[in-house]
Amino acid sequence: MAAKEKDGRRIVAENRQARHEYFLTETWEAGLMLTGTEVKSLRRGQSNISESYAAWEEGGLWLINAYIPEYQGAGRFFQHEPRRKRRLLLHAKEIHKLTIAVERQGMTIVPLELYFNPRGIAKLKLALAQGKKLHDKRETEKKRDWNREKARLMRDKG
């Protein structure tokens, strides 16, 4: 998948399923600690964050289970582990707020987008999320379908 341009950002990976699976409350922009081969692989637009999540471990916030494939242009000794944990860079107050919400309210930290900002730095858009039940998912789908039908009717009428 090639990277897409949006608001001066080059989106490398999106988690489109997150909006279907969770109620998203707040979003943050976090930096990532990456190796050189990971950045080169991201610039090729090859990554997947749909099965990943963020969690508090070992004194920091980590992105877990994100897939960034090995960079084929590098030698075999300079490669990285494709599904390794990656440290997220946020301010201490933001990390504290996120961990309290996860511990006390049972929320989840879900990655939404992995992108390069206009300066060329890799960033991750995170959201604090509450899981949806099956009936909530059906209700959301009904609302979306009704809005689509309403827009279609208004377009035809007017």
Side-chain angles (χ1 to χ4, degrees):
M1 179 179 126
K4 296 185 281 185
E5 289 283 334
K6 183 179 178 183
D7 302 333
R9 303 178 302 173
R10 267 190 47 230
I11 297 176
V12 179
E14 278 185 290
N15 187 357
R16 297 179 68 197
Q17 193 68 21
R19 286 180 173 78
H20 178 71
E21 297 287 332
Y22 301 100
F23 291 114
L24 305 178
T25 56
E26 295 180 59
T27 60
W28 285 272
E29 182 181 69
L32 289 158
M33 284 183 68
L34 301 172
T35 63
T37 55
E38 287 174 327
V39 174
K40 288 183 178 191
S41 186
L42 281 178
R43 289 200 189 280
R44 286 187 160 180
Q46 304 170 343
S47 64
N48 186 2
I49 59 169
S50 63
E51 299 172 357
S52 62
Y53 62 97
W56 174 263
E57 290 184 8
E58 303 169 10
L61 201 60
W62 296 83
L63 179 65
I64 301 169
N65 203 26
Y67 177 72
I68 300 175
E70 294 180 343
Y71 180 65
Q72 298 303 320
R76 115 180 145 216
F77 298 108
F78 298 108
Q79 292 298 339
H80 62 275
E81 181 69 30
R83 289 208 182 265
R84 75 176 183 91
K85 295 190 311 185
R86 293 164 178 93
R87 189 179 194 97
L88 296 175
L89 306 173
L90 288 163
H91 292 284
K93 288 181 182 180
E94 295 172 336
I95 292 173
H96 182 69
K97 185 175 180 178
L98 285 168
T99 53
I100 286 177
V102 169
E103 290 173 0
R104 292 186 185 160
Q105 300 170 2
M107 300 183 101
T108 308
I109 305 169
V110 179
L112 298 178
E113 291 178 350
L114 181 58
Y115 59 91
F116 285 102
N117 68 4
R119 290 178 45 200
I121 299 171
K123 298 287 184 175
L124 183 72
K125 186 176 181 181
L126 294 170
L128 195 58
Q130 183 76 39
K132 285 185 183 178
K133 304 281 189 234
L134 182 61
H135 60 86
D136 292 330
K137 293 178 189 177
R138 288 180 181 158
E139 186 65 33
T140 303
E141 192 171 331
K142 284 180 190 176
K143 284 181 184 177
R144 186 180 64 232
D145 289 345
W146 168 241
N147 287 336
R148 191 176 294 144
E149 183 66 28
K150 190 168 52 172
R152 199 174 290 136
L153 289 171
M154 295 298 285
R155 185 182 62 220
D156 292 342
K157 289 274 184 176

